[in-house]
Amino acid sequence: MPDSAEAVCPKNTNILADTLVKTCWECMFPISLFGFTLTEVGEDSTRPAVGPGISAVYPPQLCGCVCLTPYLCVPGIPLGIWEPVRLVEIVRTPLCFPALNGITLGPEFVFEGRGSANTNMDSPDLDFTFYHSHFYIFPLWAIVGIAVDWACVNPSAAGDEIDLAYLSEIDPSWNDDLLALILFPEALLLGNPLTVAACAADSLAASAGFPIDPLFWCAGSFGLMYPTTGNVSESSGQLKPAALAMSRLLARLARFGTEFYTAADGPLICTDFPTGLIVKSQYKYQLLYPIPNVPAPCCQPIGRTVLMWGMGKMVPVIGEDFVFLLWKLQRCCLL
């Protein structure tokens, strides 16, 4: 894969320092309590969180996750809220970190490639883009002193520190489609015309609301989740393949068991658990860099066409790396 001479690490980005200014706080909505949606404020609606928890004694407007016996539980309130918990960088230059003031760390590893784009004029279907990805634990509310998780029974995102949790540069399967089949062997079965055609429904659903979770191999209008690598076939712009690379990263982390299902309710509201497959409807994201996606509605579900949110959001040369703030739906039993 040829190196891209234009790929440089943007300097003086200060994304972490500017997060409070650039964050679209309307993305926390809708909020639900007692099984009812309180307010939506222009963002996409989601089903309100409902109980019961472990005990079937409580009505759906209550939950019980801390139980002494199956019928003697501490009553709680089902809460549903969107939390800003992750940062995702999609970059062309290896070990480039726009969120960390554009620093570049160390030499390149032997098995990773520089982000590049190849244009085949004879056959546009052979055009491709390659990106590296970085995944940060970023509990923004805890960082600014707003506590939500402390009162929930199942806070999988608990913590108040920033941490770099994944680097594609040290993952040899990120730029090798065949090696990625070891982690995702089902890709051999899902690459057929019938399953690809089903993704049209996922694209329409994402544009109208949220994507269809059973179609886990689809990323809406972005393309296909498989192969789950940074090699993205694309011939129009940079933002769409970057969004697809971010979606594939989430699918990869779900397979690793590090991304939990946090949007369950009913009997499962008491537990966050790994699924092995991406649950697309529990995510939405805000573009923070190079041009923040504001004002509201500024958060988008996975697969929503860039025509609805990505126009004029890229700066040539210096703004072809991207940083997304990831919001995650947390349903839990509030004590």
Side-chain angles (χ1 to χ4, degrees):
M1 185 175 297
D3 289 351
S4 174
E6 294 81 11
V8 295
C9 192
K11 301 296 182 182
N12 302 316
T13 47
N14 293 319
I15 293 173
L16 293 185
D18 296 341
T19 299
L20 295 182
V21 178
K22 296 179 178 180
T23 296
C24 184
W25 296 103
E26 289 87 349
C27 293
M28 74 175 70
F29 300 106
I31 299 175
S32 65
L33 281 174
F34 294 105
F36 299 98
T37 299
L38 300 183
T39 180
E40 297 185 5
V41 194
E43 293 294 331
D44 296 287
S45 61
T46 52
R47 185 183 72 254
V50 295
I54 298 175
S55 173
V57 173
Y58 298 118
Q61 289 74 31
L62 294 175
C63 53
C65 293
V66 179
C67 297
L68 303 177
T69 72
Y71 297 96
L72 181 59
C73 303
V74 178
I77 303 170
L79 169 67
I81 191 170
W82 291 89
E83 295 183 293
V85 292
R86 305 287 187 263
L87 272 183
V88 179
E89 289 178 332
I90 304 298
V91 300
R92 300 160 298 157
T93 304
L95 299 174
C96 165
F97 301 91
L100 302 178
N101 204 29
I103 63 173
T104 304
L105 301 180
E108 300 178 8
F109 298 94
V110 295
F111 55 76
E112 54 81 26
R114 181 178 295 274
S116 59
N118 178 69
T119 301
N120 191 308
M121 301 301 294
D122 297 327
S123 179
D125 292 338
L126 297 180
D127 293 351
F128 67 86
T129 301
F130 176 74
Y131 281 107
H132 281 297
S133 60
H134 308 144
F135 189 76
Y136 295 83
I137 306 298
F138 191 69
L140 181 56
W141 280 354
I143 293 171
V144 300
I146 302 176
V148 173
D149 289 333
W150 66 272
C152 281
V153 176
N154 55 333
S156 63
D160 57 1
E161 296 181 354
I162 300 173
D163 189 16
L164 181 57
Y166 176 84
L167 285 167
S168 65
E169 288 89 346
I170 61 175
D171 183 351
S173 65
W174 178 253
N175 66 343
D176 190 321
D177 295 350
L178 291 178
L179 193 58
L181 284 175
I182 298 175
L183 292 171
F184 295 89
E186 69 273 16
L188 294 173
L189 301 176
L190 296 173
N192 61 76
L194 183 61
T195 55
V196 172
C199 292
D202 190 59
S203 178
L204 292 174
S207 296
F210 282 85
I212 303 172
D213 287 330
L215 302 180
F216 59 87
W217 62 89
C218 303
S221 67
F222 301 161
L224 298 176
M225 287 288 187
Y226 300 113
T228 55
T229 66
N231 299 316
V232 183
S233 296
E234 180 56 47
S235 59
S236 58
Q238 298 292 329
L239 187 53
K240 180 179 175 181
L244 178 56
M246 176 195 64
S247 305
R248 290 179 172 182
L249 172 61
L250 293 175
R252 175 175 288 254
L253 295 176
R255 180 57 53 92
F256 291 163
T258 57
E259 273 297 286
F260 286 69
Y261 181 29
T262 62
D265 57 7
L268 300 177
I269 198 171
C270 298
T271 306
D272 295 340
F273 52 91
T275 60
L277 294 172
I278 184 173
V279 182
K280 297 178 293 186
S281 62
Q282 71 176 2
Y283 297 103
K284 59 184 179 180
Y285 58 88
Q286 179 198 357
L287 178 65
L288 286 183
Y289 179 85
I291 300 176
N293 202 348
V294 289
C298 40
C299 276
Q300 318 298 329
I302 291 175
R304 177 168 292 174
T305 173
V306 296
L307 296 177
M308 297 177 65
W309 60 273
M311 304 301 292
K313 296 299 181 182
M314 190 184 76
V315 181
V317 183
I318 61 173
E320 295 179 353
D321 298 305
F322 303 94
V323 180
F324 300 93
L325 176 62
L326 199 65
W327 294 72
K328 198 171 182 180
L329 179 58
Q330 176 72 65
R331 291 192 176 110
C332 63
C333 189
L334 186 66
L335 298 180

